[in-house]
Amino acid sequence: MAATSAISQIFTPFVLLPSRHCSRVSHFNPGKNPRKISFKLFTVAANSGGMNRNGQPTHVVGLNSGLLLVNHQEMGSRRRVYVKSTGSESGLTSSAGSTVVKLLHLVVSLGIILAMDKLLKKAFVAAAIKFPSALFGMFCIFTILMVLDSTVPAAATSLMNFFQPALLFIQRWLPLFYVPSLVVLPLAVKDIPAASGLKIIFIIVGGWLASLSVAGFTAIAVRKMVNTEMIPAEPMPKPSPFSSVELWAWSGIFVISFVSAFFYPTLLGTNARTCLPFLLASTVLGYLLGSGLPNVVKKVFHPIICCALSADLAAFAYGQLSRSGLNPVLGYYLTKASSNPGAGDILMGFLGSVILSFAFSMFQQRKLVKRHAAEIFTSVILSTLFSLYSTALIGRLVGLEPSLTVSVLPRCITVALALSIVSFFEGANTSLTAAVVVVTGLVGANFVQTTLDKLGFRDPIARGIATASSAHGLGTAALSAKEPEALPFCAIAYALTGIFGSVICSVPAVRQSLLTIIG
């Protein structure tokens, strides 16, 4: 009783700890193993003269009507361990929850863009409208953003933030959407004579250099006339780099699906569907590996080449093992049939979403577009007209077949819109069109920076516009990786070149004039 009375006199001060500082203490129960418990509210009193068996001072802790005897040093140590453990567990839970939310955000935002593209295509086909449906959708999105920005700016910002994950996804995987055309290139050129192939290569290389020069010199001339001071562009978010987890995951998908397709060729109903997983995985793996190559190697061996070769090697290996041959497997890669899609059809299905994403890019840089409208629009319009009409003229001068000349007309316009442009003309080889566009981009990606330096283009505006107007997305990616200050102008010119080219080719008089030149 005396001891209890003494303890009760020294129960102050009372200590209140939050739940994250809960302590583990041992219940004072002589003769039994101590039981560990935790609590939030407790009182501490120093028992003067009280020592444990190790000669260390003890504290008496009162919890309601119970008494617990704990060692001061052990209590502090256990508190620290408990807090650390609790923090780690809550951190892992929070991280997992955040990852799930981000993934759902990406799926929903990207799904909306893809669904919008599909619905617009169906509506335009039903109405027999030849104008590119994705381009119409892009104009609608841009108009909505501009109206919201002038009336309810917060709503425009929220809309941009909502679709940001989808836009970063498209930007991250953009080169992949061009690859199918290169993968099936053997099928596209098998019926083209060697002499015609050389003429097409001449048009690609010479046309790229000419378009680059026209766009660059036009931008410089207009810049001197308007003399607009350059201001920093709006910062553009960058997608996350590729991880080793992605590499191993796609490797696993490739091995499992390749073996399955070999033993069960129609496991998923058709050959194309069964081959789809391993052909898609081989394409993605090639891009991941190509992206990790040293910069010196990538100057001559672009990641998109590595990507296409990887898919072709996988198709060749499967063709040899299954004794079906390469060409049939390439046919499985790009079937162009919505009811029986291949890996290439899946990738090219994102091309419409690329065009829709242009609306967000232009809106993000609307201040820059307004400030430098004279340089941007003049350069884009002149270089696009020059590209179309010079290609038609050179094709006739070198004696290239009219159908092939029509197929290479939109050589400087991004694949998604280039395919829409050639759909206005009869007899065009769309596979050749896509391949020519990609090869033009590869030429620009490998030589654009050196050529710009040789031509004396120092201004970021001129360099950006000239690059995008002549080599679209691939040239843009190559230049902006080393010159980020040119990226906004590349992005704007990249989008506007395709937009203007599509709009002008939708005019019957323009199409007829091009056909007249081609002969």
Side-chain angles (χ1 to χ4, degrees):
M1 294 294 294
T4 304
S5 176
I7 290 171
S8 64
Q9 293 176 5
I10 54 175
F11 266 175
T12 55
F14 292 90
V15 181
L16 178 64
L17 294 180
S19 58
R20 65 178 181 273
H21 295 306
C22 295
S23 301
R24 289 182 177 176
V25 297
S26 301
H27 192 278
F28 182 66
N29 193 357
K32 295 183 179 181
N33 292 331
R35 291 185 290 113
K36 295 181 179 180
I37 64 172
S38 63
F39 54 86
K40 300 178 182 178
L41 178 63
F42 60 89
T43 56
V44 180
N47 186 354
S48 59
M51 307 288 287
N52 65 9
R53 60 185 177 182
N54 295 324
Q56 296 173 325
T58 60
H59 284 170
V60 177
V61 179
L63 177 62
N64 295 331
S65 60
L67 295 177
L68 299 103
L69 183 65
V70 297
N71 179 276
H72 176 71
Q73 293 181 355
E74 292 177 357
M75 185 176 70
S77 175
R78 288 172 179 170
R79 178 187 297 118
R80 288 192 296 271
V81 172
Y82 184 81
V83 170
K84 182 177 180 180
S85 176
T86 304
S88 300
E89 292 173 1
S90 62
L92 289 173
T93 303
S94 176
S95 177
S98 176
T99 301
V100 172
V101 171
K102 289 180 179 178
L103 182 60
L104 288 174
H105 190 179
L106 169 62
V107 171
V108 173
S109 58
L110 184 61
I112 291 175
I113 291 179
L114 290 173
M116 187 186 307
D117 177 44
K118 298 299 181 186
L119 290 173
L120 284 171
K121 281 181 180 178
K122 288 183 178 180
F124 273 54
V125 170
I129 301 174
K130 286 192 173 183
F131 189 80
S133 58
L135 196 58
F136 173 79
M138 187 218 69
F139 283 127
C140 290
I141 295 173
F142 182 73
T143 302
I144 291 171
L145 288 171
M146 292 299 293
V147 170
L148 288 176
D149 186 55
S150 60
T151 55
V152 190
T157 303
S158 299
L159 196 61
M160 284 289 298
N161 291 336
F162 175 78
F163 284 104
Q164 196 63 54
L167 301 178
L168 289 176
F169 175 88
I170 293 171
Q171 182 182 346
R172 191 174 191 245
W173 297 104
L174 182 62
L176 274 183
F177 310 146
Y178 297 149
V179 169
S181 306
L182 278 184
V183 175
V184 298
L185 187 60
L187 297 180
V189 301
K190 65 179 181 179
D191 296 326
I192 298 177
S196 298
L198 291 175
K199 294 173 184 177
I200 291 173
I201 293 174
F202 172 75
I203 292 174
I204 290 174
V205 177
W208 167 76
L209 181 59
S211 296
L212 178 81
S213 302
V214 169
F217 283 119
T218 301
I220 290 175
V222 177
R223 286 275 289 155
K224 290 180 178 179
M225 288 189 289
V226 298
N227 197 26
T228 305
E229 182 182 357
M230 187 173 172
I231 60 173
E234 293 293 326
M236 300 187 70
K238 294 183 178 180
S240 59
F242 299 113
S243 65
S244 58
V245 175
E246 291 174 292
L247 182 64
W248 286 110
W250 282 106
S251 299
I253 293 172
F254 173 77
V255 172
I256 294 171
S257 57
F258 187 93
V259 173
S260 300
F262 176 71
F263 287 105
Y264 306 99
T266 57
L267 179 64
L268 300 180
T270 65
N271 294 102
R273 290 176 185 170
T274 306
C275 292
L276 190 156
F278 82 80
L279 288 175
L280 178 62
S282 64
T283 308
V284 176
L285 282 172
Y287 182 57
L288 295 178
L289 293 172
S291 299
L293 294 174
N295 291 330
V296 177
V297 178
K298 285 193 285 190
K299 285 183 177 180
V300 293
F301 195 68
H302 196 275
I304 203 171
I305 299 178
C306 182
C307 191
L309 287 178
S310 175
D312 281 330
L313 286 174
F316 177 78
Y318 183 80
Q320 291 297 309
L321 292 174
S322 64
R323 298 185 179 180
S324 60
L326 174 62
N327 288 350
V329 182
L330 292 180
Y332 303 152
Y333 187 89
L334 189 63
T335 65
K336 298 182 181 179
S338 58
S339 59
N340 185 34
D345 299 283
I346 298 297
L347 292 174
M348 294 190 75
F350 284 92
L351 290 176
S353 63
V354 172
I355 299 172
L356 294 178
S357 70
F358 289 166
F360 298 95
S361 300
M362 289 193 300
F363 176 76
Q364 191 172 8
Q365 300 297 340
R366 60 195 180 282
K367 295 180 181 177
L368 201 66
V369 174
K370 183 178 179 180
R371 184 176 183 83
H372 298 283
E375 304 100 303
I376 294 171
F377 284 98
T378 304
S379 302
V380 165
I381 291 173
L382 288 180
S383 65
T384 304
L385 289 173
F386 173 81
S387 172
L388 291 170
Y389 281 95
S390 64
T391 302
L393 180 60
I394 295 174
R396 181 167 185 170
L397 292 176
V398 298
L400 186 63
E401 293 88 334
S403 61
L404 296 180
T405 304
V406 168
S407 301
V408 302
L409 273 180
R411 56 182 174 75
C412 292
I413 295 172
T414 186
V415 171
L417 290 173
L419 295 177
S420 298
I421 289 173
V422 294
S423 67
F424 293 132
F425 301 88
E426 295 182 2
N429 184 336
T430 55
S431 297
L432 177 61
T433 299
V436 165
V437 171
V438 175
V439 172
T440 300
L442 289 173
V443 172
N446 286 320
F447 304 108
V448 67
Q449 198 169 31
T450 302
T451 306
L452 290 172
D453 293 338
K454 293 290 185 181
L455 293 174
F457 297 157
R458 308 298 179 192
D459 190 285
I461 296 178
R463 292 175 74 88
I465 293 174
T467 299
S469 298
S470 60
H472 47 81
L474 294 178
T476 293
L479 182 68
S480 60
K482 300 175 182 178
E483 302 178 22
E485 67 276 7
L487 175 59
F489 303 100
C490 281
I492 294 167
Y494 167 47
L496 291 179
T497 299
I499 293 168
F500 181 71
S502 299
V503 171
I504 194 173
C505 285
S506 66
V507 179
V510 173
R511 293 201 302 272
Q512 188 57 47
S513 64
L514 287 170
L515 291 173
T516 301
I517 295 174
I518 292 172

